[in-house]
């Protein structure tokens, strides 16, 4: 049926181009013609399913559309034409779906159409946000061996608050109460964890506790953070154009955010030298939050002490370590369990011990 859907989609697409008609009328026309040509093969049930496939190919994302619409699916990834996977509740499974290379390229192009980003031989990687907030990541050959690699990280349809996470069992009531108090008092919090551990979900829940009157500026590589507060400006990085110009880095965004009268600054994820600019901002008394990939709270602090050294040869650990100790108040380490459930594994306080000249990362007993 997929081959037939492809042929009908192409005919409907040609009809739309030639007559400038709508998608629905074009689909009606090609189906009427198809039925007239072969009445014996007409089946109402099959036609209904086929119409959905054609419509998805024309106005949606083809075979990926039902997956994107399913709220239970957390992530979709494609390794090759016949290797399509999804994850639900942290558990992944392989789907019996075949997506041709040509169709996949068309779908990716459609996903990127309104993002201002591109993927080609000169720029074989791309990160972008879809209209529903899902994050798209694509890598193409010859960086990959033979096939396009596509990941679509979906996010909850609504923003969870701490109380929601308590109901889901991801956060205990004691942890939620403690974190809410720290956020309201302007403490700086580093959220750590591995991929898919729930860092961004927790970050958004923490931001829901920020006072509505407080101005929040968020900076990210691609838009992921969502806040229901009214005074919020979100910024994302930009790739260079075909001439290699126009790139906007995360470091640049952090610096620009400081000129926007922030009440609180948020970095979606610190990866490189932007961590230095964040520390400078937090050291000036501006409260903030950020996430970082790490295996533990201790590792998160160690990593945050190392990344600023990438900002320049004149940056030393003698400056960075005490600054981290004075800027970061707490590390909240998230973990995904074997059954796919997310939880807060540990909350630790961070401080610089001048008597021993070292950072102390101590678990908070709740």
């Amino acid at each position: 049926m997929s081959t037939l859907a492809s042929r009908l989609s192409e005919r409907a697409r040609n009809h739309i181009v030639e007559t400038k008609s709508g998608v629905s009328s074009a689909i009606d026309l090609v189906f009427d013609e198809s039925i007239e040509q072969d009445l014996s093969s007409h089946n109402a049930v099959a036609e209904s399913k086929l119409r959905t496939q054609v419509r998805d190919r024309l106005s949606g994302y083809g075979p990926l559309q039902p997956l994107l619409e399913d709220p239970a699916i957390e992530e979709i990834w494609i390794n090759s034409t016949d290797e399509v996977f999804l994850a639900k509740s942290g558990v992944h499974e392989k789907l019996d779906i075949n997506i041709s290379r040509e169709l996949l390229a068309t779908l990716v192009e459609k996903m990127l159409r309104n993002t201002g980003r591109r993927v080609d031989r000169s720029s074989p990687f791309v990160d972008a946000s879809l209209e529903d907030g899902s994050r798209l990541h694509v890598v193409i050959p010859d960086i990959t061996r033979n096939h396009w690699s596509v990941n679509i990280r979906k996010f909850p349809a609504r923003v969870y608050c701490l109380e929601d996470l308590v109901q889901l069992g991801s956060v205990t009531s004691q942890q939620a109460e403690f974190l809410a108090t720290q956020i309201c008092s302007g403490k700086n919090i580093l959220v750590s964890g591995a991929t898919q551990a729930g860092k961004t979900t927790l970050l958004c829940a923490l931001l829901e506790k920020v006072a509505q009157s407080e101005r929040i500026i968020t900076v990210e590589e691609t838009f992921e953070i969502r806040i229901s507060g009214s005074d919020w400006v979100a910024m994302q990085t930009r790739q260079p154009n075909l001439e290699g110009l126009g790139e906007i880095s995360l470091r640049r965004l952090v610096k620009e955010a400081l000129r926007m009268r922030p009440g609180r600054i948020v970095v979606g994820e610190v990866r490189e030298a932007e961590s230095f600019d964040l520390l400078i901002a937090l050291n000036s008394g501006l409260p903030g939050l950020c996430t970082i990939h790490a295996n533990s709270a201790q590792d998160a602090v160690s990593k945050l002490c190392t990344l600023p050294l990438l900002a320049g040869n004149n940056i030393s650990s003698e400056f960075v370590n005490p600054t981290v100790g004075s800027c970061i108040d707490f590390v909240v380490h998230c973990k995904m369990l074997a059954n796919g459930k997310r939880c807060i594994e540990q909350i630790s306080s961070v401080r610089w011990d001048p008597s021993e000249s070292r950072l102390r990362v101590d678990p908070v007993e709740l």
Side-chain angles (χ1 to χ4, degrees), residues 1 6 35 76 119 137 159 183 189 199 233-234 273 297 308 330 333 340:
M1 184 176 288
S6 180
I35 292 171
I76 306 159
V119 61
H137 180 73
V159 180
I183 285 291
I189 295 179
K199 298 186 298 297
V233 176
F330 297 98
H333 187 69

Side-chain angles (χ1 to χ4, degrees), residues 11 15 27-38:
R11 287 168 56 187
H15 183 71
I27 292 175
D28 289 340
L29 177 66
V30 297
F31 270 87
D32 288 343
E33 292 176 349
S34 178
I35 292 171
E36 288 176 3
Q37 292 169 5
D38 189 3

Side-chain angles (χ1 to χ4, degrees), residues 80-95:
S80 68
T81 55
D82 60 351
E83 294 182 11
V84 182
F85 299 84
L86 61 78
K88 289 184 178 181
S89 302
V91 180
H92 75 274
E93 61 180 277
K94 187 176 185 292
L95 300 178

